[in-house]
Amino acid sequence: MLLSGRGSNFRAIAEAELPIDIVAVISNRPQAAGLAWARERGIQAVALDHTEHADRAAFDALLADEIERHCPDLVVLAGYMRILSPGFIARFEGRLLNIHPSLLPMFPGLKTHERALAEGVKIHGCTVHFVTADLDHGPIVIQAAVPVRGDDTPDTLAARVLAQEHRIYPQAVRWFAEGRLAIRDGRVNLKDNSTSQSVLATGA
Ligand code: GRF
């Protein structure tokens, strides 16, 4: 589990009673609240401060070595707020998940809620996807949509989306743990599909 701050997606996954062991939580920011929460629960928590390493590729190589020390089957980016170098992504491709607060491929990058409001979209949401070298464009596992209201601010919209993030990220991790996600031609197929891969939140 990689994070940089609050760690609410990490907490949602940790509390979802999934068939997984969270072997480590690693943050590039030593003060991240998510690290403290992990420590309180006896989950191994590691701080690797990126500000002590000038070179991105060198830092990412250290980070990758630290991750591999814990032998995870899956690496979950849960609010990890740094762009990963191509070398890092290549090492974990196919077992690297991210959550992004928009309905990709709309609004890749930062400030998604502000941009959604500025565009006047009526539906917004979040996406769990596999990470590839193409930023915020990897194969989509699951999405959730929420209505955009006329009086929304970036904060009210972010809160509505975040509630859905906490539903779909544990679901995606469960599917991965159950071996149900297959990537073919850049798309994710859900094996034994009886569950929809998108969730429309009503009245959220
Ligand atoms: C979430 O909105 C996530 O989609 C984005 O960063 C935020 C992290 O929140 N990538 P948290 O640290 O999980 O609370």
Side-chain angles (χ1 to χ4, degrees):
M1 191 79 59
L2 298 191
L3 51 78
S4 300
R6 181 176 56 180
S8 70
N9 277 287
F10 155 52
R11 293 202 307 273
I13 291 167
E15 290 177 334
E17 298 185 5
L18 302 175
I20 61 168
D21 288 325
I22 300 178
V23 289
V25 175
I26 303 173
S27 174
N28 62 310
R29 294 190 186 281
Q31 302 312 321
L35 274 187
W37 193 87
R39 278 194 201 102
E40 282 165 22
R41 275 149 194 85
I43 300 172
Q44 195 160 356
V46 180
L48 266 188
D49 189 346
H50 71 274
T51 62
E52 292 171 2
H53 303 269
D55 182 79
R56 182 183 300 274
F59 175 76
D60 280 2
L62 269 183
L63 177 64
D65 289 345
E66 176 62 29
I67 292 169
E68 279 177 352
R69 220 168 55 75
H70 302 278
C71 304
D73 299 309
L74 174 66
V75 179
V76 174
L77 304 179
Y80 183 71
M81 302 306 284
R82 271 175 69 80
I83 292 180
L84 292 164
S85 51
F88 180 97
I89 293 170
R91 267 169 89 166
F92 296 103
E93 197 153 350
R95 53 189 180 117
L96 185 56
L97 284 181
N98 183 43
I99 188 150
H100 183 77
S102 81
L103 290 172
L104 291 173
M106 275 192 293
F107 309 122
L110 298 173
K111 296 195 179 295
T112 55
H113 310 304
E114 284 90 330
R115 287 157 60 207
L117 289 174
E119 292 292 344
V121 297
K122 304 304 178 204
I123 300 224
H124 187 43
C126 47
T127 303
V128 177
H129 65 97
F130 283 99
V131 176
T132 62
D134 197 3
L135 181 70
D136 293 333
H137 278 94
I140 291 171
V141 177
I142 185 170
Q143 298 184 297
V146 301
V148 179
R149 298 198 181 128
D151 59 354
D152 266 331
T153 64
D155 285 349
T156 60
L157 186 53
R160 194 172 309 121
V161 170
L162 190 65
Q164 297 308 311
E165 295 183 32
H166 297 163
R167 290 175 64 196
I168 67 171
Y169 217 175
Q171 177 67 75
V173 172
R174 178 184 294 279
W175 282 335
F176 186 94
E178 293 172 347
R180 292 181 59 192
L181 300 179
I183 305 173
R184 201 178 315 130
D185 300 331
R187 294 189 200 167
V188 175
N189 290 325
L190 182 64
K191 294 185 209 159
D192 310 319
N193 186 2
S194 56
T195 320
S196 166
Q197 283 169 265
S198 60
V199 178
L200 183 60
T202 50

